[in-house]
Amino acid sequence: KNGVVLRGEIPSVTDAKNSGFNPPSKLQFPKYEPQFSGNGTPNDTAFKTITTTEGDTDSNIGLVHLDINRAAISLRGDLDNGNNQNLVIFGIRSNNVAEPDPRVPNTSFQSPWFRYSYRFAANIKVNAKANILIANNRINDNITDNYDQPGYQVKPIKGEQIITYQEGNKVPFHYGNHYGIVVNRSKSEGFQKNANPNTEPGLFRTGIAVRDNWVYHTMRVAISASGDGLVIQDNQVRDERGKQWWTDPTGLKEPKGAVTLENRAIDWSGSNVLVEGNQYEVYRHRIRDTQYLSVDGEGILIQECCGGTEVNGAILRNNQGNTYIGLYKIPSIKNVEIVGNQVQAEVTDIELIYVNADTNNAPGVMEDVTIANNIVNGGILARGTAGGKGNTVENNQGNNSASLTYSCHVTAKGNTGFQEPPCLP
């Protein structure tokens, strides 16, 4: 309720990024015990949630130093009109969190006992008007409850013959196939594209910090957050190599080769944002037994859709990861520093620092963007075909494998280890 912080004993190892982090105060919720016949085990026997009495107003609340097994944390008010504020989630260990997808099973062709891990679930999901601290938490370091589902059925890409996967490990119920931390990025009706403070005020709340967390996940986004003055700092994101998946995101159809499962480390939006000192890894799924990989694999991303905003004030500094940092097709990009990052592998074919103000529909503008002192094993792109000023790409280091690509209004100097074709008009 309003004014309540549930606080456990301080653990002997206080740093959640240390593998020895194990809070002695534990909240244990029921395990989902699947039944592979009939209607299956009722969902209400498990999949519990820690929430509040009045989400729109409950303030000065939190969870501190607790090991929480089998319960999501969901402290959510109305993103646009709620008045809840001053929330802290600190020193939590969270495992075996999931929701069953409400559309599965589709009993017109699926067995009633099937379950599918809902992609929009999250270990920690918060909406508040102001002042949110999500810090020093360890998420999904001990998932124990995954289970196989032999005989899982999906509709085919072509034709009418239902496909049955006899091997249960093709479509397991997986407790890592969803979001990790979501802060002010959930809204039932969705968001307008390229939002600003007038069109989507809930994306520009103040006093939000997501820092020093350790997050493992196998699908969707590890950290998704928005705010004015948002800080995403010193987090560690881990993923699983060699992943393979056999359905589309709904769990109802065979996946196409171009399916997205939204494998991503950090998805940010807002204004005056700092993304600094994060270490991340991201891997794409092999789709069925084809040569295709899922269409995702972003490291640190902002885009115009899906809770994305115009960019006016951002520092992306000293992050280290294995896939690209992208300001992806945002029609207005202003006042940005991308400095001192290291991107050391090529998970996708996108340039490893990708700043593009041109959308699929129209050219865009870049102003006062600096891309400097980054080390990348790939290319760098800085494009704004509608023009711009004050843009610089300097002193970056490549590995002689890719190009430096930029609009002609961008100043490029002191860069090494890149092919450098003529500037873009």
Side-chain angles (χ1 to χ4, degrees):
K1 293 184 178 181
N2 187 70
V4 174
V5 175
L6 189 58
R7 184 186 299 269
E9 181 181 351
I10 297 174
S12 57
V13 175
T14 57
D15 181 2
K17 290 183 282 188
N18 187 311
S19 61
F21 179 76
N22 187 15
S25 300
K26 301 183 186 301
L27 300 180
Q28 186 88 355
F29 291 82
K31 180 181 179 180
Y32 185 75
E33 299 285 0
Q35 180 179 341
F36 302 102
S37 62
N39 291 323
T41 305
N43 292 338
D44 62 7
T45 63
F47 307 118
K48 303 304 183 181
T49 301
I50 297 173
T51 185
T52 66
T53 307
E54 301 291 340
D56 285 348
T57 57
D58 285 340
S59 301
N60 307 310
I61 58 177
L63 299 158
V64 178
H65 287 144
L66 296 166
D67 185 327
I68 301 173
N69 195 20
R70 305 190 178 103
I73 298 170
S74 182
L75 308 180
R76 290 196 288 164
D78 182 291
L79 186 57
D80 293 327
N81 303 305
N83 290 303
N84 59 324
Q85 56 187 320
N86 306 337
L87 277 63
V88 58
I89 300 173
F90 182 91
I92 299 300
R93 188 185 186 204
S94 170
N95 280 290
N96 297 306
V97 169
E99 294 178 42
D101 192 306
R103 296 178 60 192
V104 176
N106 181 332
T107 54
S108 69
F109 68 95
Q110 290 182 316
S111 298
W113 61 264
F114 290 163
R115 300 294 184 267
Y116 194 80
S117 186
Y118 192 38
R119 62 193 183 279
F120 297 120
N123 293 73
I124 298 172
K125 188 177 290 186
V126 175
N127 281 352
K129 186 175 182 179
N131 304 335
I132 303 167
L133 176 65
I134 313 292
N136 196 48
N137 303 294
R138 189 172 182 88
I139 293 175
N140 296 332
D141 71 329
N142 189 34
I143 294 175
T144 59
D145 292 359
N146 297 340
Y147 65 89
D148 291 350
Q149 298 189 97
Y152 194 93
Q153 295 161 313
V154 294
K155 290 184 176 181
I157 296 173
K158 295 180 180 180
E160 301 296 330
Q161 184 68 39
I162 298 300
I163 296 170
T164 300
Y165 297 133
Q166 298 297 346
E167 303 93 334
N169 61 356
K170 285 187 174 179
V171 190
F173 189 95
H174 199 298
Y175 286 79
N177 283 357
H178 54 70
Y179 292 81
I181 297 169
V182 179
V183 181
N184 283 12
R185 288 291 295 270
S186 56
K187 187 175 177 179
S188 58
E189 63 270 35
F191 297 96
Q192 295 187 41
K193 283 187 175 183
N194 194 38
N196 61 54
N198 295 318
T199 61
E200 293 287 359
L203 296 175
F204 294 86
R205 303 305 188 194
T206 59
I208 299 171
V210 182
R211 58 174 304 157
D212 300 299
N213 302 286
W214 187 96
V215 182
Y216 170 83
H217 72 131
T218 51
M219 203 177 284
R220 319 314 294 185
V221 183
I223 297 171
S224 180
S226 187
D228 184 354
L230 169 69
V231 174
I232 301 176
Q233 189 169 23
D234 295 336
N235 301 284
Q236 292 184 2
V237 175
R238 297 291 179 262
D239 196 358
E240 179 184 336
R241 293 177 182 267
K243 298 182 295 185
Q244 190 174 14
W245 202 244
W246 295 80
T247 78
D248 79 344
T250 70
L252 299 172
K253 300 177 183 178
E254 185 183 21
K256 297 179 180 179
V259 70
T260 177
L261 301 172
E262 206 182 9
N263 290 295
R264 190 174 305 155
I266 295 171
D267 190 312
W268 65 275
S269 58
S271 55
N272 306 306
V273 173
L274 175 66
V275 182
E276 181 176 37
N278 302 284
Q279 299 178 9
Y280 62 89
E281 62 181 16
V282 178
Y283 300 105
R284 301 157 75 188
H285 287 80
R286 182 184 175 198
I287 302 305
R288 305 193 317 274
D289 53 358
T290 72
Q291 76 274 27
Y292 296 109
L293 297 175
S294 54
V295 184
D296 45 40
E298 302 89 0
I300 299 173
L301 181 75
I302 182 171
Q303 58 184 328
E304 66 169 344
C305 87
C306 321
T309 62
E310 63 185 16
V311 177
N312 189 1
I315 298 173
L316 284 66
R317 182 170 59 203
N318 297 339
N319 301 287
Q320 298 181 19
N322 71 329
T323 184
Y324 76 93
I325 297 171
L327 279 62
Y328 189 87
K329 299 182 180 180
I330 303 288
S332 177
I333 299 175
K334 298 179 180 179
N335 304 311
V336 174
E337 296 180 21
I338 302 175
V339 295
N341 303 285
Q342 296 185 32
V343 189
Q344 295 291 347
E346 190 78 69
V347 173
T348 74
D349 59 359
I350 297 291
E351 288 85 353
L352 292 183
I353 295 179
Y354 182 90
V355 180
N356 190 359
D358 294 354
T359 70
N360 291 335
N361 300 315
V365 175
M366 288 173 47
E367 293 183 0
D368 300 314
V369 173
T370 298
I371 302 172
N373 301 310
N374 302 285
I375 299 173
V376 296
N377 284 358
I380 293 176
L381 179 141
R383 175 187 290 154
T385 303
K389 59 181 182 179
N391 302 306
T392 304
V393 178
E394 60 181 332
N395 300 330
N396 300 286
Q397 180 180 327
N399 67 342
N400 297 303
S401 68
S403 296
L404 188 66
T405 306
Y406 52 91
S407 295
C408 292
H409 57 75
V410 176
T411 299
K413 56 184 179 181
N415 302 288
T416 59
F418 300 95
Q419 304 159 28
E420 196 164 339
C423 65
L424 302 172

